[in-house]
Amino acid sequence: MSVKEQANALNNSATRPNAKENATHLLKDVKNAVETIEVQDRKALYLLECEDCEYIIQGKPIKISIESCKNLTIKVEGKVLTGTVDIWKSEKINLDFVRSVSAFQLDSIQTITIKMPEAEYFGSMIWAGVDDITLNLGDETHSLSYSQLQARNPALRPDTDQFKTTIVDGSIKTEAIVRMDNGYPMTRAEESSLQASEKKKEEMLRGAPKADDE
């Protein structure tokens, strides 16, 4: 499910009090708050149109979604159960995670900082149209920017071109991604590796003796 589809699902659920109460810890249109928030297990934490807030998040949210927020500082002390954090249409977001996160998805953001205790805590990040990304991973600091990539390739479009950032052999690696037929995001290198693996499997199956030949 894309970020937009997830947002639509959450917005639709917000019109049904029971669905919102059962599935989502919603913080909407909050201004100038400094709070510690306890999220019940199996609930998604969803921050919508919040501004100038500082939160410490405790508990085990199933995932974290941030939409149309500005000037947020969030420390997540508990485990994000699915390891998924989605952020879009936001500005000046500072996130500090105590536990690992396997998948970030960022879209249309101006300035975001993500802090994690070690590089091993960082899984991957799919992003588009994001300027000024700072990753603080242990003692290492990495900076990424869509505008820098676009300067090298003016044909890039922020509304369609996505990138995947991972750590390979201790180094940050950012590659353009393509969508597979099933919608799964994959880099060109990953696609080539998958195709080579599938070809090898086909060759092995073709070379295997049939039951009648045995």
Side-chain angles (χ1 to χ4, degrees):
M1 183 181 290
S2 68
V3 171
K4 186 175 291 186
E5 289 170 338
Q6 293 168 6
N8 289 338
L10 285 168
N11 285 329
N12 290 337
S13 70
T15 65
R16 305 190 299 275
N18 290 338
K20 179 187 71 175
E21 180 66 23
N22 290 336
T24 306
H25 188 125
L26 176 65
L27 299 172
K28 182 178 180 181
D29 196 28
V30 182
K31 302 291 189 294
N32 301 300
V34 179
E35 295 184 59
T36 296
I37 303 294
E38 179 77 25
V39 180
Q40 294 181 16
D41 292 0
R42 314 307 298 179
K43 282 195 175 185
L45 175 62
Y46 182 26
L47 294 94
L48 174 63
E49 297 174 354
C50 297
E51 187 172 339
D52 299 321
C53 296
E54 296 183 19
Y55 291 113
I56 295 175
I57 306 301
Q58 298 178 340
K60 297 179 180 179
I62 192 168
K63 66 177 295 185
I64 296 176
S65 299
I66 299 172
E67 178 187 2
S68 300
C69 293
K70 184 177 180 180
N71 294 331
L72 291 188
T73 297
I74 300 175
K75 182 174 183 179
V76 183
E77 295 185 339
K79 179 179 178 61
V80 182
L81 293 178
T82 62
T84 303
V85 176
D86 296 334
I87 309 168
W88 63 105
K89 295 181 180 177
S90 295
E91 181 179 347
K92 295 182 180 178
I93 306 297
N94 294 281
L95 303 176
D96 184 355
F97 293 90
V98 174
R99 307 285 291 274
S100 62
V101 175
S102 57
F104 290 93
Q105 185 151 351
L106 314 180
D107 195 358
S108 301
I109 301 171
Q110 292 290 328
T111 309
I112 180 169
T113 299
I114 297 172
K115 181 180 179 181
M116 312 193 86
E118 301 290 343
E120 291 76 11
Y121 284 52
F122 176 83
S124 67
M125 181 172 68
I126 293 174
W127 56 284
V130 183
D131 264 327
D132 192 12
I133 303 171
T134 301
L135 295 177
N136 292 321
L137 307 178
D139 295 330
E140 299 290 332
T141 298
H142 307 273
S143 298
L144 304 168
S145 174
Y146 176 82
S147 60
Q148 293 175 353
L149 295 173
Q150 191 176 47
R152 296 196 293 268
N153 184 359
L156 292 177
R157 293 178 55 186
D159 56 337
T160 57
D161 291 300
Q162 291 184 305
F163 303 89
K164 184 175 183 179
T165 297
T166 54
I167 297 177
V168 179
D169 296 328
S171 299
I172 283 284
K173 186 174 184 179
T174 297
E175 300 175 274
I177 69 172
V178 294
R179 291 279 174 178
M180 306 300 289
D181 292 339
N182 61 3
Y184 186 80
M186 185 172 290
T187 67
R188 292 292 185 186
E190 290 170 337
E191 182 184 27
S192 297
S193 177
L194 178 62
Q195 290 174 347
S197 177
E198 290 177 344
K199 182 179 179 181
K200 185 175 181 179
K201 289 179 182 178
E202 290 175 0
E203 291 173 347
M204 291 176 64
L205 289 173
R206 285 198 300 268
K210 296 181 180 180
D212 292 341
D213 296 336
E214 294 178 350

